[in-house]
Amino acid sequence: MTLPEAQQLAVKDAMPKHVAIIMDGNGRWAQQRGKLRMFGHQAGVKSVRRAVSFATQLGVKSLTLFAFSSENWRRPEEEVSSLMNLFLTVLQREVKKLKNNNVQLRIIGDTSRFSEKLQKRIAIAQNETATNDGLVLNIAANYGGRWDIVNASKQLAEQVKKGHLDAQDISEEHISALMDSDTVGDVDLLIRTGGDHRISNFLLWQTAYAELYFSDVLWPDFDEDAFGEAIAAFVSRERRFGCTGEQVQALLIDNQKNEDHFA
Ligand code: IPE
Ligand code: IPE
Ligand code: MG
């Protein structure tokens, strides 16, 4: 079969290497309890901790969490500023734990719109965990999939203008390498909690062949059981990457034979 090597590996892998989550439903979770929306965001932090620990246990290589979209600035000013404060507090509080648990933290998105204080905190947190080689935890903050593509396009245009690259030679690899989420890579499993069935401008480029999983569970309630169900659904699916089911089965049988041969 003529699948690129990365996709051959993805077909073979039962477990997702890269899981991305649209953590939705905090506001409704709080409202159902007669509380302010912020109460839901605070409860959502506990869920983040739980998801990071579960992903580590499962041996997932990277986990990308959508924390704040480029469209979320449209929310009431009070909610936006409370979210920024929460982000600041959580970064300060959790960085040591991440460091000790060998988690490498990366923030993706246009962080230039954040306060100086928050930008500094982000830089510190990234630096302190940079040499960790366990789970890569990407937090998407002021992130938008279209922004990411536009950003990469601007850089490509600059390269062409300077004569470093011929426009005709532009490839998928060039674009991938220039995106802020370049280090994020292709997503295997995209989960959205909260019951809505949309991407909301998350990782558009990187989810081209992701398996999509929608859960009705609101983010603060998304526990190991709910995460486990998403993983089980992924494991039961056949990823074909444009091939036929028969081709995929043949590839899996070939791989099995090779493994038996070298066992
Ligand atoms: C997701 O929860 C978290 C952020 C967007 C910051 P929401 O705040 O969107 O929760 P709902 O969708 O209103 O319930
Ligand atoms: C998506 O949730 C963004 C995050 C989870 C951070 P939203 O609640 O903002 O998405 P929409 O507006 O319902 O599409
Ligand atoms: Mg929402």
Side-chain angles (χ1 to χ4, degrees):
M1 181 179 3
T2 53
L3 270 182
E5 200 185 341
Q7 295 188 341
Q8 285 197 31
L9 291 173
V11 164
K12 217 177 74 169
D13 273 323
M15 287 293 288
K17 281 196 167 50
H18 181 190
V19 177
I21 310 182
I22 301 174
M23 311 183 287
D24 198 21
N26 293 349
R28 279 164 285 165
W29 187 89
Q31 280 158 349
Q32 282 173 6
R33 286 159 179 76
K35 308 254 188 187
L36 293 174
R37 295 175 56 83
M38 251 345 263
F39 185 71
H41 295 313
Q42 279 155 358
V45 176
K46 283 194 196 123
S47 253
V48 169
R49 233 179 268 135
R50 196 161 47 198
V52 169
S53 149
F54 194 58
T56 307
Q57 279 174 45
L58 289 174
V60 165
K61 284 206 163 25
S62 24
L63 179 67
T64 304
L65 303 177
F66 205 5
F68 191 86
S69 78
S70 42
E71 288 73 32
N72 286 146
W73 296 105
R74 296 173 187 158
R75 294 194 176 193
E77 219 177 292
E78 201 185 310
E79 181 170 346
V80 171
S81 77
S82 301
L83 277 168
M84 293 300 137
N85 282 334
L86 182 66
F87 198 23
L88 195 68
T89 320
V90 170
L91 270 177
Q92 236 150 2
R93 202 178 55 201
E94 304 288 322
V95 73
K96 212 178 206 160
K97 209 181 295 161
L98 294 174
K99 201 175 167 178
N100 293 339
N101 290 332
N102 200 21
V103 175
Q104 187 183 129
L105 179 73
R106 295 173 185 162
I107 309 296
I108 60 164
D110 183 5
T111 52
S112 67
R113 195 164 162 189
F114 294 144
S115 69
E116 287 278 315
K117 202 168 159 191
L118 185 50
Q119 289 186 49
K120 269 196 199 130
R121 256 288 124 205
I122 288 172
I124 293 171
Q126 290 188 143
N127 284 340
E128 288 200 12
T129 62
T131 55
N132 284 351
D133 58 6
L135 178 80
V136 174
L137 174 63
N138 301 295
I139 302 289
N142 191 20
Y143 179 83
R146 287 185 174 175
W147 163 82
D148 208 0
I149 295 170
V150 167
N151 205 29
S153 309
K154 282 184 190 163
Q155 294 175 67
L156 268 181
E158 280 297 324
Q159 290 189 8
V160 173
K161 197 166 106 189
K162 286 182 182 147
H164 297 163
L165 181 68
D166 194 309
Q168 293 310 315
D169 293 335
I170 294 173
S171 65
E172 289 187 11
E173 286 71 27
H174 282 120
I175 298 176
S176 296
L178 286 172
M179 294 181 66
D180 188 41
S181 44
D182 154 42
T183 42
V184 168
D186 283 348
V187 173
D188 297 307
L189 170 63
L190 174 69
I191 300 170
R192 182 181 185 126
T193 64
D196 285 314
H197 296 187
R198 55 177 173 259
I199 306 290
S200 301
N201 198 17
F202 195 25
L203 302 157
L204 298 178
W205 179 269
Q206 300 83 351
T207 50
Y209 254 109
E211 295 297 325
L212 308 182
Y213 181 86
F214 299 100
S215 166
D216 287 334
V217 174
L218 302 174
W219 177 248
D221 289 330
F222 193 77
D223 58 10
E224 288 86 351
D225 285 346
F227 201 163
E229 273 177 38
I231 300 285
F234 176 89
V235 169
S236 73
R237 293 187 194 174
E238 182 182 70
R239 305 185 78 189
R240 292 192 283 274
F241 297 101
C243 295
T244 66
E246 288 73 20
Q247 286 173 298
V248 167
Q249 287 310 317
L251 177 74
L252 289 173
I253 290 168
D254 264 5
N255 278 323
Q256 194 53 51
K257 274 190 199 147
N258 283 340
E259 273 167 26
D260 292 348
H261 182 73
F262 291 110

